[in-house]
């Protein structure tokens, strides 16, 4: 932890020196950062231990000491966030769910630190009631990433399903097949994150919560495949009874509300799928009694 705290202070020192207005800068620090893409595959179904109050206090003390050692008293006063682990995570094929019934042991750490809040990484895919509870526990920053690109992939693949029922050039190269070819040709973005049999790897490449497929959507072949699908679907929205086979009622309702601003029904469904993944983050925390 000491080396991490020293590095954080050194980076802050560089930032302070590089700006004409140091007072405009704020800092977030901490060591409870998961591996890129979520939990490692080998962690399996093991529980994720939350940060203890003792560890949080030690992290604060270590960073304070290193900031002060570099004469960064002003910068330390502008430290607004501490990265901690609330007890949640996701792995390639499962989600470590946060239990809102667990005791809140971390909030007392902030009792005498009114300018400080918590940050949590990898909060993707949690149940909707988790986010307001984390807000109540002073988690001001909840990081989301793969859940949104995962939702994009869901929408595109769902539109592929819709295309089957409207006769959209059934012999064309399908988006999933194009993405599979791209990922097999260049496995660097997923190989170290996934493990298992060839059948499991095939599923993970497309449906994993780690969503390593997101690194391939910008490749020309992928962009062409998605563009071709959208073109073949056409501008006339299929009957709702077809869309209901591939999109949840809430997503369809969102797409309906978007229609005035996004008249393209195809894009409206993509946006609505992503919005549905993001919406729980905006739920207001419940107010405690009294």
């Amino acid at each position: 932890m000491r080396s991490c705290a020293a590095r954080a202070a050194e980076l802050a020192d560089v930032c302070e020196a590089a700006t004409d207005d140091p007072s405009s800068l704020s800092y977030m620090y901490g060591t409870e950062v998961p591996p890129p893409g979520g939990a490692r595959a080998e962690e399996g179904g093991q529980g994720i231990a939350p940060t203890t109050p003792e560890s949080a206090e030690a992290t604060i003390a270590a960073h304070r000491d290193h900031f002060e050692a570099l004469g960064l008293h002003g910068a330390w006063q502008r430290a607004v966030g501490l990265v901690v682990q609330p007890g949640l995570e996701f792995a390639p094929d499962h989600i470590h769910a946060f239990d809102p019934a667990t005791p809140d042991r971390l909030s007392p750490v902030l009792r005498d630190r009114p300018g400080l809040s918590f940050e949590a990484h990898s909060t993707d895919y949690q149940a909707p009631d988790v986010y307001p509870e984390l807000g109540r526990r002073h988690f001001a920053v909840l990081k989301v990433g793969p859940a949104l690109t995962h939702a994009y992939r869901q929408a595109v693949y769902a539109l592929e399903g819709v295309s089957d029922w409207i006769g959209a050039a059934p012999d064309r190269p399908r988006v999933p097949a194009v993405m599979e070819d791209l990922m097999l040709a260049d496995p660097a973005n997923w190989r170290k994150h996934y493990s298992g049999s060839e059948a499991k790897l095939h599923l993970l490449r497309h449906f994993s919560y780690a969503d390593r497929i997101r690194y391939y959507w910008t490749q020309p072949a992928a962009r062409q495949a998605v563009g071709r699908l959208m073109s073949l679907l056409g501008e006339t929205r299929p009957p709702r009874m077809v869309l209901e086979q591939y999109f949840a009622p809430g997503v369809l309702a969102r797409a309906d509300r978007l229609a005035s601003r996004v008249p393209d029904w195809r894009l409206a469904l993509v946006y609505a799928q992503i919005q549905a993944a993001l919406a729980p983050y905006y739920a207001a925390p419940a107010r405690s009694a009294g």
Side-chain angles (χ1 to χ4, degrees):
M1 181 192 303
R2 287 282 167 180
S3 60
C4 292
R7 181 172 180 270
E10 291 166 1
L11 290 172
D13 193 25
V14 172
C15 292
E16 295 285 299
T19 180
D20 294 331
D21 182 16
S23 66
S24 67
L25 301 181
S26 298
Y27 297 96
M28 307 191 79
Y29 59 93
T31 58
E32 298 285 355
V33 179
R40 295 183 178 88
E42 64 267 22
E43 287 178 345
Q46 298 175 13
I48 298 296
T51 302
T52 65
E54 296 77 15
S55 179
E57 292 282 4
T59 300
I60 293 172
H63 282 79
R64 181 195 61 225
D65 291 348
H66 282 281
F67 270 65
E68 296 290 353
L70 293 181
L72 298 173
H73 178 75
W76 179 249
Q77 296 304 311
R78 287 180 267 110
V80 298
L82 172 64
V83 181
V84 294
Q85 170 56 265
L88 54 81
E89 188 60 273
F90 64 88
D93 61 355
H94 62 276
I95 298 164
H96 300 282
F98 177 79
D99 182 1
T102 57
D104 179 8
R105 300 182 60 210
L106 279 172
S107 286
V109 172
L110 304 180
R111 184 171 295 142
D112 298 321
R113 300 180 174 98
L116 193 63
S117 62
F118 294 131
E119 174 184 343
H121 286 238
S122 299
T123 60
D124 308 67
Y125 309 113
Q126 295 293 315
D129 64 336
V130 166
Y131 302 106
E133 176 60 19
L134 289 174
R136 190 189 69 77
R137 298 185 184 207
H138 308 289
F139 282 84
V141 179
L142 305 175
K143 296 194 69 175
V144 58
L148 303 185
T149 51
H150 188 266
Y152 171 81
R153 195 274 315 153
Q154 286 179 314
V156 171
Y157 279 25
L159 288 171
E160 273 284 14
V162 171
S163 75
D164 290 334
W165 294 97
I166 63 173
D171 295 332
R172 64 187 161 80
R174 299 301 185 93
V175 173
V178 171
M179 301 308 292
E180 177 76 355
D181 289 343
L182 289 173
M183 287 185 284
L184 289 177
D186 180 15
N189 287 311
W190 60 267
R191 178 68 74 183
K192 66 181 180 180
H193 295 271
Y194 301 155
S195 62
S197 66
E198 286 304 313
K200 183 176 181 180
L201 288 174
H202 178 252
L203 293 178
L204 289 173
R205 282 193 291 270
H206 295 269
F207 305 116
S208 169
Y209 295 119
D211 197 55
R212 306 301 297 182
I213 194 174
R214 68 185 184 272
Y215 294 103
Y216 299 86
W217 289 114
T218 57
Q219 295 194 19
R223 293 167 64 92
Q224 291 167 10
V226 174
R228 184 167 50 242
L229 169 64
M230 296 298 191
S231 178
L232 290 171
L233 286 168
E235 297 180 2
T236 302
R237 177 170 166 161
R240 193 176 190 87
M241 60 187 179
V242 176
L243 298 179
E244 286 174 341
Q245 305 309 305
Y246 298 95
F247 292 93
V251 172
L252 291 175
R254 285 183 176 275
D256 290 342
R257 294 195 293 272
L258 285 170
S260 62
R261 289 179 291 160
V262 187
D264 186 326
W265 68 272
R266 300 156 295 189
L267 290 180
L269 283 168
V270 173
Y271 295 161
Q273 188 79 41
I274 296 170
Q275 284 185 358
L278 189 59
Y281 285 84
Y282 291 91
R287 295 183 179 276
S288 58

